[in-house]
Amino acid sequence: MSAPPRGLPFFVYGTLRPGEYNHDRFLRGRTAAEEPARLPGALLYDGPGYPYLVRGAGRVAGELVHAAPGEYDALVSVLDRLEHGYAREVFEVLRLRDGATVRAWVYVATPAVRLGEPIAGGDWLSRRPPRAARLPDAPRTP
């Protein structure tokens, strides 16, 4: 059996995406680059405040996250602890800026997970209004 690949970027598709609540908590200061990407051959399902990804005939939107120099081991450790209920697997991910295929770690829901409703279009961010649309209305002057 060969050793697992080392130094691969991570494909994040839910609460670890830029602007989502776990991004600042777990990725800030540990990444060198984050770039838009798509994962073919996968489907996204709603979970209790975060999504679940499984293999399937669809595609999922997300970002490729590259560890900052000297941060790879810390990033693997924190993400493996955060992503309980998931298995870390290697996938071929499509990088949007140039269409290149990039091998990346992806956290996939284990069979024991109870999936929620499918997320149409495979984009976790599409399940709610854009951030600007969620701001309260400004007070109106008479």
Side-chain angles (χ1 to χ4, degrees):
M1 183 170 155
S2 62
R6 187 164 161 66
L8 295 180
F10 292 84
F11 176 77
V12 298
Y13 51 85
T15 65
L16 289 166
R17 289 176 75 178
E20 294 297 298
Y21 63 91
N22 277 335
H23 181 273
D24 284 349
R25 293 177 64 206
F26 298 103
L27 297 182
R28 184 171 297 279
R30 291 188 170 115
T31 65
E34 298 165 357
E35 48 192 345
R38 295 287 180 270
L39 176 61
L43 298 168
L44 210 56
Y45 289 86
D46 212 0
Y50 46 87
Y52 292 114
L53 182 143
V54 297
R55 291 180 185 272
R59 66 181 188 161
V60 172
E63 273 76 31
L64 279 170
V65 174
H66 301 268
E71 291 291 331
Y72 187 79
D73 290 336
L75 190 58
V76 168
S77 178
V78 74
L79 293 179
D80 281 354
R81 281 194 312 274
L82 175 67
E83 302 290 7
H84 61 280
Y86 296 82
R88 182 166 36 103
E89 299 179 17
V90 176
F91 278 76
E92 299 288 327
V93 177
L94 179 66
R95 185 172 54 207
L96 295 185
R97 73 175 158 87
D98 60 3
T101 300
V102 178
R103 287 173 38 116
W105 289 117
V106 179
Y107 288 92
V108 179
T110 62
V113 169
R114 179 180 278 158
L115 302 174
E117 293 296 315
I119 296 175
D123 190 346
W124 168 252
L125 301 182
S126 72
R127 79 202 190 295
R128 59 173 168 64
R131 182 175 286 216
R134 291 183 283 143
L135 296 175
D137 290 334
R140 294 190 178 129
T141 55

